[in-house]
Amino acid sequence: DGAGAIGATGDTAIAYQAGVTIGATLAGIGFNVDFAPVADLANVEGSVMAGRSYGSDSAAVSGFVTSMMTGLEEQKVLACLKHFPGIGSSTQDTHDGRASTDRSLEQFEAEEFMVFRGGIEAGADMIMVSHMEAPGLTGNQEPCVFSRHLVTEILREELGFQGIIITDALNMKAVSDFYGADEAAVMAVLAGCDMLLMPENFEKAYNGVLQAVYDGHIS
């Protein structure tokens, strides 16, 4: 079952068992990372994460997220909490185009960040950043993945996350319809992302980052 069905049971042991089962299967065929669990809250009507999220209550969802993460990591599979800062308050899908939320910093801190903070405290090694626009957090309309304020100042410094920060897939339309593969890659690195997932054009993205280093744009 999906996260929504597991969350509806109220039993975090099921999320843990899902992590163990998925982790064992992945490890058995040589994979060492799973881009899971979803740490988003499905907290608006028509949420894009309905069914994919464990629910709408941050305290409850936090328990499911850390349980799933523990199950995966016991099987030596790295978990990845996604999609920071939490995209469940949007009804739009970044796979298809621009998506945004009107939530304030105070709302994020009281709800979505509680889930990610719980995961970080439980030892999360990787967090994925979303392409949603969250002007209440970033101060502008750019995708979160390009916001140094969000990625470095909030996730790294305020929440104290010391692990790997990875972008959501850069070939999703919220990015690829508006930014070149090289431009997107450079902007994500400058924001503080450590890994670039699935650029629309790998060679163009790679050369764009290389050129930015040669130019001194990336240190």
Side-chain angles (χ1 to χ4, degrees):
D1 283 349
I6 292 172
T9 68
D11 185 358
T12 58
I14 299 175
Y16 166 75
Q17 192 55 55
V20 170
T21 303
I22 292 167
T25 302
L26 290 174
I29 51 177
F31 286 92
N32 62 3
V33 177
D34 184 12
F35 292 139
V38 164
D40 305 302
L41 300 174
N43 54 1
V44 295
E45 188 70 34
S47 169
V48 68
M49 298 311 290
R52 289 186 65 194
S53 162
Y54 287 108
S56 60
D57 178 76
S58 52
V61 169
S62 187
F64 283 100
V65 167
T66 55
S67 295
M68 167 74 171
M69 186 177 87
T70 301
L72 283 171
E73 294 187 339
E74 282 182 5
Q75 303 301 311
K76 305 292 189 281
V77 173
L78 205 69
C80 176
L81 306 186
K82 64 183 187 182
H83 311 76
F84 189 79
I87 64 176
S89 61
S90 179
T91 58
Q92 303 142 307
D93 191 336
T94 53
H95 289 89
D96 303 326
R98 295 176 65 172
S100 63
T101 180
D102 57 6
R103 284 171 79 72
S104 67
L105 171 63
E106 291 73 26
Q107 287 175 305
F108 271 106
E109 285 183 336
E111 296 187 42
E112 285 89 345
F113 285 6
M114 180 178 167
V115 182
F116 286 95
R117 199 184 292 274
I120 291 167
E121 288 171 359
D125 291 307
M126 183 183 281
I127 290 178
M128 180 182 289
V129 180
S130 100
H131 303 323
M132 180 184 70
E133 299 165 16
L137 285 179
T138 64
N140 59 36
Q141 299 293 332
E142 69 185 1
C144 288
V145 74
F146 299 142
S147 169
R148 184 166 180 83
H149 175 64
L150 184 73
V151 175
T152 296
E153 293 176 13
I154 294 181
L155 180 54
R156 270 276 182 252
E157 295 167 6
E158 284 183 34
L159 298 185
F161 180 61
Q162 296 303 310
I164 301 161
I165 299 176
I166 187 168
T167 69
D168 204 346
L170 293 169
N171 61 359
M172 288 160 63
K173 287 185 164 48
V175 170
S176 64
D177 278 0
F178 305 98
Y179 304 89
D182 46 356
E183 180 188 17
V186 170
M187 289 170 71
V189 170
L190 289 173
C193 297
D194 304 304
M195 295 182 75
L196 309 175
L197 178 63
M198 295 165 65
E200 183 186 25
N201 178 319
F202 179 83
E203 194 173 345
K204 189 177 177 187
Y206 172 87
N207 286 318
V209 171
L210 207 57
Q211 191 61 49
V213 173
Y214 288 144
D215 294 345
H217 192 43
I218 293 175
S219 68

